Amino acid sequence: MTMTATKLLVLGVVRGFGRAHGYRVRAELLSWGIDDWANVKPGSIYHALRQLAKDGLLEATEIGDWPGRVDYGVTPEGDAEFFRLLVDALERPDHRDDMLSAGLALMPALTRDRAVAALAKRLAALEEQREGMRKAPALPGDGAAAGEGQLPPHLGELWTMRTRYADLSVEWTRDLLERVTSGEYEMAGEHERAFGVPGSWRLPDEPQRT
């Protein structure tokens, strides 16, 4: 997993809890099945927490009556960076798969309008890419006489794979955009304890945060 995707996920989880220590952040991410769609090692979570605190995006607080424990909270700068990364993950189709996966995992932290705008921008970019792909020659040297730069015919499967993947990406993004637009999923601001409300996550035995 890229550091950027890890950064987004860690900021999102700390933000969701309001304050959280490293073990809780890791446990929450694992509960999402992150080990199935991202390569997250325990060390990378703790490293990200320390680096984000060093960068001023998280505030670190040592717990006096619990030696070695450090709780983290998102700073205003961290909150702004979280939303920048989240919107970017959803808008831009040129990211690695782990960045898109992180964006989808945290998408409900956006208001519905903001999520719709990001997905619409992604769809437009994907459609433009697909159109450019359709207009381009199938292979470098396509149309040249044999022995004059024409590539072996089987390499056309690479082109077939790319064009079909482009079609699938457009179709999936359009379907997701339609679902979010129509009201599927609870988005930030739609309920007092919606996913996107900072500090709204808590364990059953935890007191309500004030």
Side-chain angles (χ1 to χ4, degrees), residues 139 149-157:
L139 287 169
Q150 189 170 2
L151 296 176
H154 73 277
L155 292 181
E157 292 300 333

Side-chain angles (χ1 to χ4, degrees), residues 80 83-84 87 90-91 110-119:
F83 281 112
R84 185 192 71 78
V87 169
L90 295 174
E91 279 185 350
L110 296 174
T111 62
R112 190 170 302 278
D113 287 347
R114 199 169 184 185
V116 165
L119 292 172

